[in-house]
Amino acid sequence: MRAARYRFPMMLAIIGGEPGRFAPYVELYHRALRELHPERADERLPVGVHSPGFVADTDEEARELLFPHFKANRDRIGRERGWGPATRAQFDAEADAGSLYVGSPETVAQKIAATVRTLGIDRFDLKYSNGPQPHAQLLRCIELYGTEVAPRVRELLAD
């Protein structure tokens, strides 16, 4: 509501669970914009999603490289917030159907495109830094995201 009141674009930080459950927030934002600013109801402000992920050459490589760093980061945050230690089963569930965008360029692109379609968003921001992950792995992730994932998402959404 505050973003709509001040006509700010909205970014949703979706760090766990199925992204589609955030559709009511997107709908509320758009409805609030129309109701609070009827004189500008035809102007669309962008909505984006910010979620964690990691891209590697294959799905298996991405999961194996990411998991220990994801777990270290999640366990550190969890100690502060009262969460139990992260498990591999939780990690895999988030990667399969939640808001963790991890895998090959094709897998990540397909998942991002599905989120864009489901929520009707305009932007997607991959939080590719996960805990103490080595710099070389992060550079490779950035390279794949820019050269393969982003172009593929554009292609998927053009259809």
Side-chain angles (χ1 to χ4, degrees):
M1 291 299 296
R2 186 175 300 149
R5 181 175 325 278
Y6 293 109
R7 288 193 42 78
F8 291 154
M10 184 173 72
M11 182 65 86
L12 296 167
I14 304 178
I15 61 170
E18 202 277 314
R21 69 191 172 101
F22 283 79
Y25 295 106
V26 176
E27 293 165 13
L28 174 62
Y29 173 71
H30 288 305
R31 188 174 74 242
L33 279 171
R34 287 189 306 273
E35 291 175 8
L36 292 167
H37 306 281
E39 73 285 357
R40 299 173 87 175
D42 59 335
E43 294 178 23
R44 180 177 164 90
L45 292 176
V47 175
V49 166
H50 174 85
S51 290
F54 181 70
V55 187
D57 292 308
T58 67
D59 290 344
E60 298 77 21
E61 179 186 19
R63 288 186 186 211
E64 292 309 311
L65 289 175
L66 178 59
F67 178 68
H69 308 293
F70 175 89
K71 179 174 175 42
N73 195 45
R74 180 79 182 275
D75 289 353
R76 180 185 57 78
I77 294 168
R79 282 189 297 277
E80 298 167 358
R81 298 180 184 179
W83 305 338
T87 67
R88 181 61 190 243
Q90 291 169 329
F91 171 83
D92 286 336
E94 281 296 325
D96 290 341
S99 60
L100 183 58
Y101 296 76
V102 59
S104 68
E106 182 65 22
T107 296
V108 173
Q110 290 284 344
K111 194 168 184 179
I112 291 170
T115 298
V116 169
R117 286 188 201 107
T118 298
L119 297 178
I121 61 171
D122 307 284
R123 299 173 178 168
F124 184 89
D125 178 37
L126 183 77
K127 184 201 174 292
Y128 60 86
S129 166
N130 290 279
Q133 199 160 8
H135 188 67
Q137 291 177 11
L138 298 176
L139 288 177
R140 179 68 176 146
C141 173
I142 293 166
E143 176 186 6
L144 290 170
Y145 189 74
T147 62
E148 295 186 36
V149 175
R152 180 66 175 134
V153 169
R154 287 186 200 100
E155 180 181 290
L156 290 166
L157 295 175
D159 293 341

